[in-house]
Amino acid sequence: MLTVAEVLHSANQHSEDQPQRTCIGCRKKAPRSELLRLVAEGSGSTAVLVDERRRMAGRGAWLHPSETCLALAVKRRAFGRALNGATGATAVERRILAGEQAAGLLRMPQHMPLADAAKTVQPESGSEN
């Protein structure tokens, strides 16, 4: 039977075995498995793409999949520095928002009833058929 100290030591060794990367937003190190890999689209474009499979060619940058780190990266202009002039982060924003919605982290505001949120936009006056 293992002691608590041995279990903690083996857990620390396991996390140390994983490659560590630095988030371009918060500048904290984390295991590669916890971060998104980003690459510049290339061919003269300034777009930044999310490399889901972590296999795309070219220089990569790493970012925590959170709105906080995304906002910090944009504020610090980290995309342009890390990816040689790439600045268009719309694909990254979409991926982070989609991930948070899927995880249930983005919720409807407490004061807005669900029925009101589901209503469609009403046509302007005079445009009804």
Side-chain angles (χ1 to χ4, degrees), residues 59-88:
R59 182 181 178 93
W62 299 85
L63 181 74
H64 282 109
S66 73
E67 285 187 78
T68 307
C69 286
L70 176 62
L72 284 170
V74 170
K75 179 181 177 183
R76 296 178 54 249
R77 300 182 190 146
F79 293 108
R81 283 197 307 275
L83 299 173
N84 297 329
T87 57

Side-chain angles (χ1 to χ4, degrees), residues 107-119:
R107 293 192 171 83
M108 299 299 294
Q110 297 277 337
H111 63 277
M112 182 184 293
L114 188 57
D116 289 344
K119 286 184 181 176

